[in-house]
Amino acid sequence: MNSTMKYFLAICAMVAACTKPVDDTATDSARILGKYSFDGKVENILSVEHAETDSEVSFVFSPVFKGRRTTHIDFSLSKDFLNMELDVEELSHSEDYHFTYENPVWYYSQAWPLKMGTMWVKELEDGVMDVYIDAQLHDGTPFTLSYTGKEGTR
């Protein structure tokens, strides 16, 4: 074996030794905050960030508990529509709501509106938010999300 090959193998061994598998989607039933389904595959929501401005409520949902969020759902809704069951086809996706879904394989930009379906954000007692989405993405892929809680409020 020549020295270049030995050097290459040594580098590979060092990289492998420094890399440890991380299970970012480990499920601790006490930490499951909600569920979502993308194209029929159900996932747990393990982290939620929630913020509000004068005009909208926004959320970032992820099946990743900590670390780099390779999969996430960004969703915001105008406060004009709080506590209402909404038909997504009657809303403007750029003014009334924003929706983005991203995982390592798929990216659905907020530039594309949701197709046929229902959504709501309800403000319950003690700062608890109830978020529900049941719609089709622009290419017809089914997507659902259900979350009730106040985790991640900032």
Side-chain angles (χ1 to χ4, degrees):
M1 191 180 311
N2 67 29
S3 62
T4 304
M5 182 60 99
K6 287 180 185 178
Y7 179 75
F8 176 74
L9 290 174
I11 295 293
C12 288
M14 287 189 318
V15 169
C18 293
T19 306
K20 67 177 186 175
V22 176
D23 185 5
D24 285 336
T25 59
T27 55
D28 173 359
S29 61
R31 290 292 311 152
I32 295 173
L33 306 174
K35 296 203 178 283
Y36 76 92
S37 172
F38 171 76
D39 200 19
K41 184 177 181 201
V42 177
E43 298 284 351
N44 294 321
I45 296 171
L46 300 180
S47 69
V48 177
E49 291 180 27
H50 165 223
E52 294 187 36
T53 66
D54 290 339
S55 60
E56 71 179 14
V57 293
S58 61
F59 300 87
V60 178
F61 301 99
S62 180
V64 180
F65 178 62
K66 58 184 174 181
R68 188 167 164 252
R69 288 197 180 129
T70 56
T71 300
H72 58 92
I73 299 103
D74 297 341
F75 174 67
S76 63
L77 182 69
S78 168
K79 283 189 171 180
D80 294 337
F81 299 106
L82 277 179
N83 302 311
M84 298 170 62
E85 186 170 326
L86 305 164
D87 180 336
V88 298
E89 292 180 305
E90 294 179 9
L91 299 172
S92 166
H93 75 280
S94 59
E95 294 178 19
D96 300 332
Y97 76 93
H98 293 100
F99 176 90
T100 304
Y101 174 77
E102 182 176 4
N103 72 26
V105 177
W106 298 99
Y107 177 70
Y108 289 85
S109 165
Q110 71 181 23
W112 295 97
L114 295 172
K115 291 171 52 174
M116 53 191 268
T118 304
M119 71 168 71
W120 68 69
V121 175
K122 295 180 180 177
E123 199 167 21
L124 307 177
E125 293 181 13
D126 299 324
V128 173
M129 302 298 274
D130 180 36
V131 181
Y132 179 78
I133 303 170
D134 183 5
Q136 289 183 0
L137 304 178
H138 72 87
D139 63 355
T141 302
F143 182 89
T144 61
L145 182 142
S146 179
Y147 162 78
T148 302
K150 60 181 179 180
E151 283 81 357
T153 302
R154 53 180 170 150

